[in-house]
PDB file of all heavy atoms in Angstrom:
ATOM      1  N   ARG A  38      -5.401 -18.441  -7.904  1.00  0.00           N
ATOM      2  CA  ARG A  38      -5.701 -19.835  -7.495  1.00  0.00           C
ATOM      3  C   ARG A  38      -6.621 -20.461  -8.482  1.00  0.00           C
ATOM      4  O   ARG A  38      -6.486 -21.645  -8.832  1.00  0.00           O
ATOM      5  CB  ARG A  38      -6.330 -19.847  -6.072  1.00  0.00           C
ATOM      6  CG  ARG A  38      -5.414 -19.772  -4.908  1.00  0.00           C
ATOM      7  CD  ARG A  38      -6.122 -20.138  -3.623  1.00  0.00           C
ATOM      8  NE  ARG A  38      -7.239 -19.215  -3.368  1.00  0.00           N
ATOM      9  CZ  ARG A  38      -7.195 -18.138  -2.529  1.00  0.00           C
ATOM     10  NH1 ARG A  38      -6.056 -17.792  -1.998  1.00  0.00           N
ATOM     11  NH2 ARG A  38      -8.235 -17.405  -2.367  1.00  0.00           N
ATOM     12  N   LEU A  39      -7.702 -19.753  -8.864  1.00  0.00           N
ATOM     13  CA  LEU A  39      -8.641 -20.349  -9.818  1.00  0.00           C
ATOM     14  C   LEU A  39      -7.972 -20.644 -11.202  1.00  0.00           C
ATOM     15  O   LEU A  39      -8.292 -21.649 -11.816  1.00  0.00           O
ATOM     16  CB  LEU A  39      -9.808 -19.405  -9.953  1.00  0.00           C
ATOM     17  CG  LEU A  39     -10.736 -19.431  -8.794  1.00  0.00           C
ATOM     18  CD1 LEU A  39     -11.844 -18.306  -8.858  1.00  0.00           C
ATOM     19  CD2 LEU A  39     -11.463 -20.751  -8.544  1.00  0.00           C
ATOM     20  N   ARG A  40      -7.074 -19.784 -11.617  1.00  0.00           N
ATOM     21  CA  ARG A  40      -6.421 -20.008 -12.896  1.00  0.00           C
ATOM     22  C   ARG A  40      -5.550 -21.329 -12.774  1.00  0.00           C
ATOM     23  O   ARG A  40      -5.508 -22.087 -13.704  1.00  0.00           O
ATOM     24  CB  ARG A  40      -5.543 -18.840 -13.301  1.00  0.00           C
ATOM     25  CG  ARG A  40      -6.377 -17.653 -13.755  1.00  0.00           C
ATOM     26  CD  ARG A  40      -5.583 -16.503 -14.207  1.00  0.00           C
ATOM     27  NE  ARG A  40      -4.822 -16.880 -15.381  1.00  0.00           N
ATOM     28  CZ  ARG A  40      -3.790 -16.311 -15.868  1.00  0.00           C
ATOM     29  NH1 ARG A  40      -3.369 -15.199 -15.228  1.00  0.00           N
ATOM     30  NH2 ARG A  40      -3.173 -16.668 -16.960  1.00  0.00           N
ATOM     31  N   TRP A  41      -4.881 -21.483 -11.684  1.00  0.00           N
ATOM     32  CA  TRP A  41      -4.084 -22.704 -11.438  1.00  0.00           C
ATOM     33  C   TRP A  41      -4.921 -23.922 -11.364  1.00  0.00           C
ATOM     34  O   TRP A  41      -4.588 -24.963 -11.939  1.00  0.00           O
ATOM     35  CB  TRP A  41      -3.186 -22.531 -10.211  1.00  0.00           C
ATOM     36  CG  TRP A  41      -2.421 -23.736  -9.880  1.00  0.00           C
ATOM     37  CD1 TRP A  41      -2.544 -24.604  -8.844  1.00  0.00           C
ATOM     38  CD2 TRP A  41      -1.276 -24.259 -10.697  1.00  0.00           C
ATOM     39  NE1 TRP A  41      -1.620 -25.535  -8.895  1.00  0.00           N
ATOM     40  CE2 TRP A  41      -0.764 -25.376 -10.012  1.00  0.00           C
ATOM     41  CE3 TRP A  41      -0.650 -23.820 -11.805  1.00  0.00           C
ATOM     42  CZ2 TRP A  41       0.271 -26.114 -10.459  1.00  0.00           C
ATOM     43  CZ3 TRP A  41       0.378 -24.580 -12.275  1.00  0.00           C
ATOM     44  CH2 TRP A  41       0.844 -25.743 -11.592  1.00  0.00           C
ATOM     45  N   TYR A  42      -6.059 -23.844 -10.750  1.00  0.00           N
ATOM     46  CA  TYR A  42      -6.980 -24.928 -10.608  1.00  0.00           C
ATOM     47  C   TYR A  42      -7.475 -25.409 -11.940  1.00  0.00           C
ATOM     48  O   TYR A  42      -7.507 -26.608 -12.298  1.00  0.00           O
ATOM     49  CB  TYR A  42      -8.168 -24.602  -9.713  1.00  0.00           C
ATOM     50  CG  TYR A  42      -9.162 -25.699  -9.568  1.00  0.00           C
ATOM     51  CD1 TYR A  42      -8.869 -26.857  -8.852  1.00  0.00           C
ATOM     52  CD2 TYR A  42     -10.443 -25.670 -10.153  1.00  0.00           C
ATOM     53  CE1 TYR A  42      -9.787 -27.880  -8.715  1.00  0.00           C
ATOM     54  CE2 TYR A  42     -11.330 -26.643 -10.027  1.00  0.00           C
ATOM     55  CZ  TYR A  42     -11.031 -27.756  -9.350  1.00  0.00           C
ATOM     56  OH  TYR A  42     -11.920 -28.771  -9.194  1.00  0.00           O
ATOM     57  N   GLY A  43      -7.814 -24.402 -12.805  1.00  0.00           N
ATOM     58  CA  GLY A  43      -8.236 -24.732 -14.180  1.00  0.00           C
ATOM     59  C   GLY A  43      -7.134 -25.392 -14.969  1.00  0.00           C
ATOM     60  O   GLY A  43      -7.400 -26.388 -15.752  1.00  0.00           O
ATOM     61  N   HIS A  44      -5.966 -24.946 -14.728  1.00  0.00           N
ATOM     62  CA  HIS A  44      -4.750 -25.572 -15.450  1.00  0.00           C
ATOM     63  C   HIS A  44      -4.581 -27.002 -14.973  1.00  0.00           C
ATOM     64  O   HIS A  44      -4.387 -27.910 -15.860  1.00  0.00           O
ATOM     65  CB  HIS A  44      -3.454 -24.791 -15.085  1.00  0.00           C
ATOM     66  CG  HIS A  44      -2.213 -25.332 -15.651  1.00  0.00           C
ATOM     67  ND1 HIS A  44      -1.893 -25.365 -16.952  1.00  0.00           N
ATOM     68  CD2 HIS A  44      -1.203 -25.999 -14.958  1.00  0.00           C
ATOM     69  CE1 HIS A  44      -0.736 -25.993 -17.149  1.00  0.00           C
ATOM     70  NE2 HIS A  44      -0.296 -26.351 -15.930  1.00  0.00           N
ATOM     71  N   ILE A  45      -4.731 -27.324 -13.732  1.00  0.00           N
ATOM     72  CA  ILE A  45      -4.649 -28.655 -13.179  1.00  0.00           C
ATOM     73  C   ILE A  45      -5.749 -29.516 -13.745  1.00  0.00           C
ATOM     74  O   ILE A  45      -5.466 -30.687 -14.172  1.00  0.00           O
ATOM     75  CB  ILE A  45      -4.678 -28.663 -11.669  1.00  0.00           C
ATOM     76  CG1 ILE A  45      -3.428 -28.091 -11.106  1.00  0.00           C
ATOM     77  CG2 ILE A  45      -4.892 -30.077 -11.157  1.00  0.00           C
ATOM     78  CD1 ILE A  45      -3.477 -27.804  -9.612  1.00  0.00           C
ATOM     79  N   MET A  46      -6.947 -29.053 -13.781  1.00  0.00           N
ATOM     80  CA  MET A  46      -8.102 -29.876 -14.218  1.00  0.00           C
ATOM     81  C   MET A  46      -8.061 -30.138 -15.702  1.00  0.00           C
ATOM     82  O   MET A  46      -8.729 -31.133 -16.116  1.00  0.00           O
ATOM     83  CB  MET A  46      -9.367 -29.200 -13.773  1.00  0.00           C
ATOM     84  CG  MET A  46      -9.577 -29.089 -12.291  1.00  0.00           C
ATOM     85  SD  MET A  46      -9.277 -30.593 -11.392  1.00  0.00           S
ATOM     86  CE  MET A  46     -10.730 -31.506 -11.873  1.00  0.00           C
ATOM     87  N   ARG A  47      -7.289 -29.369 -16.463  1.00  0.00           N
ATOM     88  CA  ARG A  47      -7.229 -29.682 -17.902  1.00  0.00           C
ATOM     89  C   ARG A  47      -6.137 -30.683 -18.178  1.00  0.00           C
ATOM     90  O   ARG A  47      -5.962 -31.146 -19.321  1.00  0.00           O
ATOM     91  CB  ARG A  47      -7.003 -28.411 -18.701  1.00  0.00           C
ATOM     92  CG  ARG A  47      -8.225 -27.528 -18.854  1.00  0.00           C
ATOM     93  CD  ARG A  47      -7.998 -26.384 -19.827  1.00  0.00           C
ATOM     94  NE  ARG A  47      -6.998 -25.461 -19.351  1.00  0.00           N
ATOM     95  CZ  ARG A  47      -7.234 -24.458 -18.505  1.00  0.00           C
ATOM     96  NH1 ARG A  47      -8.433 -24.266 -18.031  1.00  0.00           N
ATOM     97  NH2 ARG A  47      -6.252 -23.646 -18.170  1.00  0.00           N
ATOM     98  N   ARG A  48      -5.330 -31.049 -17.192  1.00  0.00           N
ATOM     99  CA  ARG A  48      -4.321 -32.076 -17.310  1.00  0.00           C
ATOM    100  C   ARG A  48      -4.955 -33.446 -17.574  1.00  0.00           C
ATOM    101  O   ARG A  48      -6.163 -33.638 -17.274  1.00  0.00           O
ATOM    102  CB  ARG A  48      -3.472 -32.172 -16.087  1.00  0.00           C
ATOM    103  CG  ARG A  48      -2.619 -30.981 -15.807  1.00  0.00           C
ATOM    104  CD  ARG A  48      -1.345 -31.118 -16.588  1.00  0.00           C
ATOM    105  NE  ARG A  48      -0.394 -30.066 -16.242  1.00  0.00           N
ATOM    106  CZ  ARG A  48       0.802 -30.121 -16.619  1.00  0.00           C
ATOM    107  NH1 ARG A  48       1.266 -31.055 -17.316  1.00  0.00           N
ATOM    108  NH2 ARG A  48       1.570 -29.135 -16.223  1.00  0.00           N
ATOM    109  N   GLY A  49      -4.190 -34.451 -17.942  1.00  0.00           N
ATOM    110  CA  GLY A  49      -4.704 -35.766 -18.184  1.00  0.00           C
ATOM    111  C   GLY A  49      -5.080 -36.420 -16.818  1.00  0.00           C
ATOM    112  O   GLY A  49      -4.546 -36.074 -15.769  1.00  0.00           O
ATOM    113  N   GLU A  50      -5.910 -37.411 -16.880  1.00  0.00           N
ATOM    114  CA  GLU A  50      -6.388 -38.108 -15.673  1.00  0.00           C
ATOM    115  C   GLU A  50      -5.205 -38.756 -14.919  1.00  0.00           C
ATOM    116  O   GLU A  50      -5.319 -38.930 -13.722  1.00  0.00           O
ATOM    117  CB  GLU A  50      -7.443 -39.134 -16.043  1.00  0.00           C
ATOM    118  CG  GLU A  50      -8.741 -38.559 -16.528  1.00  0.00           C
ATOM    119  CD  GLU A  50      -9.582 -37.971 -15.385  1.00  0.00           C
ATOM    120  OE1 GLU A  50      -9.410 -38.434 -14.182  1.00  0.00           O
ATOM    121  OE2 GLU A  50     -10.315 -37.028 -15.631  1.00  0.00           O
ATOM    122  N   ASP A  51      -4.226 -39.218 -15.692  1.00  0.00           N
ATOM    123  CA  ASP A  51      -3.095 -39.917 -15.000  1.00  0.00           C
ATOM    124  C   ASP A  51      -1.945 -39.046 -14.567  1.00  0.00           C
ATOM    125  O   ASP A  51      -0.924 -39.526 -14.086  1.00  0.00           O
ATOM    126  CB  ASP A  51      -2.625 -41.005 -15.923  1.00  0.00           C
ATOM    127  CG  ASP A  51      -2.090 -40.464 -17.243  1.00  0.00           C
ATOM    128  OD1 ASP A  51      -2.517 -39.330 -17.618  1.00  0.00           O
ATOM    129  OD2 ASP A  51      -1.271 -41.168 -17.930  1.00  0.00           O
ATOM    130  N   HIS A  52      -2.061 -37.742 -14.785  1.00  0.00           N
ATOM    131  CA  HIS A  52      -1.009 -36.831 -14.365  1.00  0.00           C
ATOM    132  C   HIS A  52      -0.900 -36.764 -12.839  1.00  0.00           C
ATOM    133  O   HIS A  52      -1.926 -36.852 -12.168  1.00  0.00           O
ATOM    134  CB  HIS A  52      -1.241 -35.439 -14.969  1.00  0.00           C
ATOM    135  CG  HIS A  52      -0.103 -34.519 -14.864  1.00  0.00           C
ATOM    136  ND1 HIS A  52       0.180 -33.756 -13.782  1.00  0.00           N
ATOM    137  CD2 HIS A  52       0.930 -34.308 -15.764  1.00  0.00           C
ATOM    138  CE1 HIS A  52       1.277 -33.071 -13.979  1.00  0.00           C
ATOM    139  NE2 HIS A  52       1.723 -33.451 -15.220  1.00  0.00           N
ATOM    140  N   ILE A  53       0.295 -36.727 -12.299  1.00  0.00           N
ATOM    141  CA  ILE A  53       0.539 -36.803 -10.867  1.00  0.00           C
ATOM    142  C   ILE A  53      -0.151 -35.682 -10.100  1.00  0.00           C
ATOM    143  O   ILE A  53      -0.713 -35.914  -8.990  1.00  0.00           O
ATOM    144  CB  ILE A  53       2.030 -36.826 -10.568  1.00  0.00           C
ATOM    145  CG1 ILE A  53       2.249 -37.130  -9.108  1.00  0.00           C
ATOM    146  CG2 ILE A  53       2.717 -35.543 -10.944  1.00  0.00           C
ATOM    147  CD1 ILE A  53       1.980 -38.493  -8.628  1.00  0.00           C
ATOM    148  N   VAL A  54      -0.169 -34.466 -10.618  1.00  0.00           N
ATOM    149  CA  VAL A  54      -0.834 -33.305  -9.944  1.00  0.00           C
ATOM    150  C   VAL A  54      -2.324 -33.565  -9.958  1.00  0.00           C
ATOM    151  O   VAL A  54      -2.977 -33.271  -8.892  1.00  0.00           O
ATOM    152  CB  VAL A  54      -0.523 -32.009 -10.635  1.00  0.00           C
ATOM    153  CG1 VAL A  54      -1.126 -30.849  -9.956  1.00  0.00           C
ATOM    154  CG2 VAL A  54       1.033 -31.791 -10.616  1.00  0.00           C
ATOM    155  N   ARG A  55      -2.878 -34.049 -10.978  1.00  0.00           N
ATOM    156  CA  ARG A  55      -4.332 -34.295 -10.988  1.00  0.00           C
ATOM    157  C   ARG A  55      -4.743 -35.441 -10.072  1.00  0.00           C
ATOM    158  O   ARG A  55      -5.739 -35.388  -9.382  1.00  0.00           O
ATOM    159  CB  ARG A  55      -4.711 -34.706 -12.442  1.00  0.00           C
ATOM    160  CG  ARG A  55      -6.180 -34.974 -12.712  1.00  0.00           C
ATOM    161  CD  ARG A  55      -6.917 -33.697 -12.881  1.00  0.00           C
ATOM    162  NE  ARG A  55      -8.285 -33.911 -13.081  1.00  0.00           N
ATOM    163  CZ  ARG A  55      -8.996 -34.040 -14.254  1.00  0.00           C
ATOM    164  NH1 ARG A  55      -8.290 -33.906 -15.320  1.00  0.00           N
ATOM    165  NH2 ARG A  55     -10.229 -34.306 -14.252  1.00  0.00           N
ATOM    166  N   ARG A  56      -3.895 -36.451  -9.967  1.00  0.00           N
ATOM    167  CA  ARG A  56      -4.151 -37.566  -8.997  1.00  0.00           C
ATOM    168  C   ARG A  56      -4.112 -37.125  -7.552  1.00  0.00           C
ATOM    169  O   ARG A  56      -4.853 -37.666  -6.758  1.00  0.00           O
ATOM    170  CB  ARG A  56      -3.215 -38.724  -9.245  1.00  0.00           C
ATOM    171  CG  ARG A  56      -3.544 -39.441 -10.527  1.00  0.00           C
ATOM    172  CD  ARG A  56      -2.795 -40.733 -10.535  1.00  0.00           C
ATOM    173  NE  ARG A  56      -1.347 -40.437 -10.557  1.00  0.00           N
ATOM    174  CZ  ARG A  56      -0.396 -41.384 -10.636  1.00  0.00           C
ATOM    175  NH1 ARG A  56      -0.660 -42.659 -10.683  1.00  0.00           N
ATOM    176  NH2 ARG A  56       0.843 -40.973 -10.633  1.00  0.00           N
ATOM    177  N   THR A  57      -3.248 -36.157  -7.238  1.00  0.00           N
ATOM    178  CA  THR A  57      -3.220 -35.695  -5.899  1.00  0.00           C
ATOM    179  C   THR A  57      -4.477 -34.931  -5.455  1.00  0.00           C
ATOM    180  O   THR A  57      -4.767 -34.794  -4.284  1.00  0.00           O
ATOM    181  CB  THR A  57      -2.027 -34.741  -5.650  1.00  0.00           C
ATOM    182  OG1 THR A  57      -2.062 -33.601  -6.533  1.00  0.00           O
ATOM    183  CG2 THR A  57      -0.718 -35.477  -5.888  1.00  0.00           C
ATOM    184  N   MET A  58      -5.221 -34.423  -6.492  1.00  0.00           N
ATOM    185  CA  MET A  58      -6.541 -33.775  -6.073  1.00  0.00           C
ATOM    186  C   MET A  58      -7.538 -34.750  -5.543  1.00  0.00           C
ATOM    187  O   MET A  58      -8.484 -34.367  -4.933  1.00  0.00           O
ATOM    188  CB  MET A  58      -7.055 -33.081  -7.320  1.00  0.00           C
ATOM    189  CG  MET A  58      -6.244 -31.918  -7.855  1.00  0.00           C
ATOM    190  SD  MET A  58      -6.266 -30.567  -6.696  1.00  0.00           S
ATOM    191  CE  MET A  58      -7.948 -30.059  -6.823  1.00  0.00           C
ATOM    192  N   GLU A  59      -7.322 -36.048  -5.902  1.00  0.00           N
ATOM    193  CA  GLU A  59      -8.362 -37.078  -5.435  1.00  0.00           C
ATOM    194  C   GLU A  59      -7.968 -37.639  -4.053  1.00  0.00           C
ATOM    195  O   GLU A  59      -8.728 -38.463  -3.583  1.00  0.00           O
ATOM    196  CB  GLU A  59      -8.311 -38.139  -6.488  1.00  0.00           C
ATOM    197  CG  GLU A  59      -8.784 -37.721  -7.810  1.00  0.00           C
ATOM    198  CD  GLU A  59      -8.567 -38.676  -8.941  1.00  0.00           C
ATOM    199  OE1 GLU A  59      -8.096 -39.800  -8.670  1.00  0.00           O
ATOM    200  OE2 GLU A  59      -8.849 -38.332 -10.066  1.00  0.00           O
ATOM    201  N   ILE A  60      -6.842 -37.281  -3.491  1.00  0.00           N
ATOM    202  CA  ILE A  60      -6.467 -37.811  -2.160  1.00  0.00           C
ATOM    203  C   ILE A  60      -7.465 -37.262  -1.107  1.00  0.00           C
ATOM    204  O   ILE A  60      -7.685 -36.032  -1.063  1.00  0.00           O
ATOM    205  CB  ILE A  60      -5.024 -37.434  -1.811  1.00  0.00           C
ATOM    206  CG1 ILE A  60      -4.048 -38.148  -2.792  1.00  0.00           C
ATOM    207  CG2 ILE A  60      -4.677 -37.778  -0.357  1.00  0.00           C
ATOM    208  CD1 ILE A  60      -2.637 -37.740  -2.630  1.00  0.00           C
ATOM    209  N   LYS A  61      -7.950 -38.118  -0.237  1.00  0.00           N
ATOM    210  CA  LYS A  61      -8.823 -37.656   0.829  1.00  0.00           C
ATOM    211  C   LYS A  61      -8.035 -36.892   1.876  1.00  0.00           C
ATOM    212  O   LYS A  61      -6.889 -37.249   2.145  1.00  0.00           O
ATOM    213  CB  LYS A  61      -9.488 -38.896   1.415  1.00  0.00           C
ATOM    214  CG  LYS A  61     -10.344 -39.637   0.426  1.00  0.00           C
ATOM    215  CD  LYS A  61     -11.691 -39.739   0.915  1.00  0.00           C
ATOM    216  CE  LYS A  61     -12.464 -40.685  -0.069  1.00  0.00           C
ATOM    217  NZ  LYS A  61     -13.622 -40.198  -0.553  1.00  0.00           N
ATOM    218  N   GLU A  62      -8.652 -35.961   2.483  1.00  0.00           N
ATOM    219  CA  GLU A  62      -7.993 -35.203   3.581  1.00  0.00           C
ATOM    220  C   GLU A  62      -7.973 -36.026   4.837  1.00  0.00           C
ATOM    221  O   GLU A  62      -8.995 -36.760   5.122  1.00  0.00           O
ATOM    222  CB  GLU A  62      -8.760 -33.854   3.780  1.00  0.00           C
ATOM    223  CG  GLU A  62      -8.635 -32.941   2.608  1.00  0.00           C
ATOM    224  CD  GLU A  62      -9.359 -31.654   2.924  1.00  0.00           C
ATOM    225  OE1 GLU A  62      -9.617 -31.357   4.139  1.00  0.00           O
ATOM    226  OE2 GLU A  62      -9.723 -30.983   1.952  1.00  0.00           O
TER     227      GLU A  62
END
Side-chain angles (χ1 to χ4, degrees):
R38 276 193 304 263
L39 287 172
R40 287 184 65 198
W41 177 247
Y42 179 70
H44 175 71
I45 290 172
M46 296 309 288
R47 284 189 297 275
R48 294 276 191 167
E50 291 287 331
D51 59 338
H52 195 273
I53 187 72
V54 178
R55 180 85 183 263
R56 286 191 300 182
T57 58
M58 293 293 293
E59 298 168 3
I60 295 175
K61 301 236 185 228
E62 293 180 22

